[in-house]
Amino acid sequence: MAGYITTNNLGASFGGVQAIENITVEIPANKVTAIIGPSGCGKSTFLRCLNRMHELVPGTKISGEVIWDGRNIYASEMDATEVRRGIGMVFQKPNPFPLMSIEDNVSAGLRLAAGRMSKARIAEIIEHSLKLAALWDEVKNKLGRPGGSLSGGQQQRLCIARALAVQPDVILMDEPCSALDPASTQKIEDTIDKLKKDYTIVIVTHNMQQAARVSDFTGFMLAREMSDPGRMIEYGPTNKIFTMPDRKETENYITGRFG
Amino acid sequence: MNEEQAINGRLQMQKEEDYEAAELAPPAARPSAPTHESMGEEATGKASRDRKLYSGSAARRRSRNIRSRLAYSLCALSTVIATVPLLLILFYVIYQGAGALNLSFLTDLPKPVGESGGGMGNAIVGSLILIGIAAVIGVPFGVLAGTQLAEYRSPRLSWVVRLLSDILSGVPSIIVGIFVYTLLVLTFKQFSAIAGGVALGILMLPTVARTTEEMMRMVPDSLREASLALGIPRWRTITSVVIKTAAGGIMTGVMLATARIAGETAPLLFTALNSRTWPTGLDKPIASLPVQIYTYAISPFDAWHKQAWAGSLVLVLIVLFLSIGSKLYFGRRMKRAT
């Protein structure tokens, strides 16, 4: 299994406290990889290390390597904005830009980060991204309305469309459904399923059923004690992790004995 | 609320007084009737605990009620005391000034003593020019300083900048006037509109910087992250996302700062001086409403006193227009943004 994103001994700390340690995994291309584990095990930190979002918090340190498409994203010649353009992110709480219209939200990355583009091309990308995120039919008649006027589930799909518009290779999702109702969750899971044809997706989730439903590969993370750094306990194909995990901790977590 | 309800654990506070009686009870902690069978026992236990916490004896409830009303009355009274002087000033200025206010007052030059009529047209234009120069200086530097404080969180530099801006906002305006007098007027041997505008601009700086900082801090970090995660560079995130989202609040701050300096007199006495003609150039002395009001008010002529009142009314109206207008317009924008 060739890793499209490979981490080597990845570790990260906040102000001297080690949050994750020694994570070595290979995330395959065009698959959905789920990261599960109890609260505080460093799932989100791990995810944020994959597109250099972790370093935005002052007092953070990162060790080890993240190889994306053959290049270490933490190499000195790599530009963080370029990494983030290639590896997009969807956050736990929907965070559309409240004063921008729906279409401006989707095109924000294009207008503010990429070079100049024709209006027609931008309109085309907006429509394509909204369709991919399964939001087009609901908003096509009100593209000028502010992004904040949508419902929570629609806002999250708007955020997915916004991330897709800059045409990344990889999309990281940090518990994208935890603030949503089941119907919206269903729509987002359908979207994820559709997207993996063209994108590599890594999703952090609290919901084990969700991991089982949407992912091809699963990583189980755990911090042994509250103050211990989180480690990747087990990583492999989802059906193996959920049916016959190698490690006792994984089995305990999956069968609901803790966490 | 009656005892029976409380005993049943169905204590529901419907009336306003009951909310007050509950004093510090947070809304989330307010007990509600157990509806699910599964939570039956637990909920009853919780309800009886809550009953002890929030109801107490009838006497204690009454005393709490009285104290709560007393506190409310005190607050209401203080509000009235604080508002009355403002209204009195407004009414008195209107009462005294409205008589002398007419179109020629707004458009004409002042007439020499003895001649009737004339106005403060040059002073109104002069004030607008001075405010314009002040804004050109105060707004960009203030917004940039506020941006530094809010976005580039280097603790030591921010501490120094914040301290300096607090000190600056406490410096009496006449001191700023003397400073600019030494810096510009003495150097160029010339009272000028520029010098006046610089003095007012310096006075605007701390207000603009601090409101910019506060408004930008109100922009949630999730928006910064959303922007950065799209690969938008930091500076672009600040200009196109953070400042744009906070723009309503920043503009309100700018308007309030403008309203504040519009009435400044002391710093203009040493810098812009005064003039009885229309403005001829930014390097020449210039008339302004506050200085003209001051000159007329201390004069011995009755006609000038009337004109000073009319000038005061115009100044008060400009300030009111700026502050109320900006609150109405930008306040709504800000609400939508956060």
Side-chain angles (χ1 to χ4, degrees), chain A residues 90 102 105-108 125-136 139 154-168 171 173 191 195 199, chain B residues 230:
Chain A
V90 175
I102 291 170
N105 259 286
V106 180
S107 64
I125 296 176
I126 291 173
E127 183 175 340
H128 180 69
S129 309
L130 284 169
K131 277 181 175 160
L132 270 180
L135 190 60
W136 176 251
V139 301
Q154 290 174 324
Q155 287 188 12
Q156 192 64 301
R157 278 179 282 145
L158 179 62
C159 293
I160 293 177
R162 182 176 65 185
L164 292 172
V166 286
Q167 289 158 317
I171 296 176
M173 298 185 168
T191 305
L195 288 176
Y199 300 87
Chain B
L230 289 172

Side-chain angles (χ1 to χ4, degrees), chain A residues 43-152:
Chain A
K43 306 184 292 290
S44 292
T45 306
F46 170 68
L47 197 71
R48 292 165 65 90
C49 285
L50 298 183
N51 71 340
R52 297 190 58 172
M53 290 296 285
H54 180 66
E55 69 198 39
L56 292 174
V57 183
T60 53
K61 275 211 185 80
I62 290 152
S63 58
E65 292 182 316
V66 176
I67 312 291
W68 163 49
D69 206 12
R71 293 178 297 173
N72 181 8
I73 65 168
Y74 288 103
S76 55
E77 73 274 8
M78 285 294 269
D79 178 23
T81 58
E82 192 196 325
V83 171
R84 293 181 199 132
R85 221 168 294 161
I87 307 178
M89 193 162 204
V90 175
F91 297 83
Q92 184 171 1
K93 236 185 93 203
N95 53 0
F97 301 123
L99 291 180
M100 286 186 199
S101 65
I102 291 170
E103 54 184 344
D104 286 351
N105 259 286
V106 180
S107 64
L110 296 175
R111 288 181 291 114
L112 304 175
R116 288 196 66 83
M117 237 182 236
S118 72
K119 282 228 171 78
R121 177 87 187 107
I122 288 183
E124 205 175 286
I125 296 176
I126 291 173
E127 183 175 340
H128 180 69
S129 309
L130 284 169
K131 277 181 175 160
L132 270 180
L135 190 60
W136 176 251
D137 290 332
E138 288 158 65
V139 301
K140 63 183 170 195
N141 295 322
K142 48 175 184 179
L143 291 173
R145 296 270 303 278
S149 67
L150 297 173
S151 76

Side-chain angles (χ1 to χ4, degrees), chain B residues 153-161:
Chain B
R153 290 166 195 174
S154 66
R156 220 170 289 161
L157 183 61
S158 296
W159 186 83
V160 174
V161 174

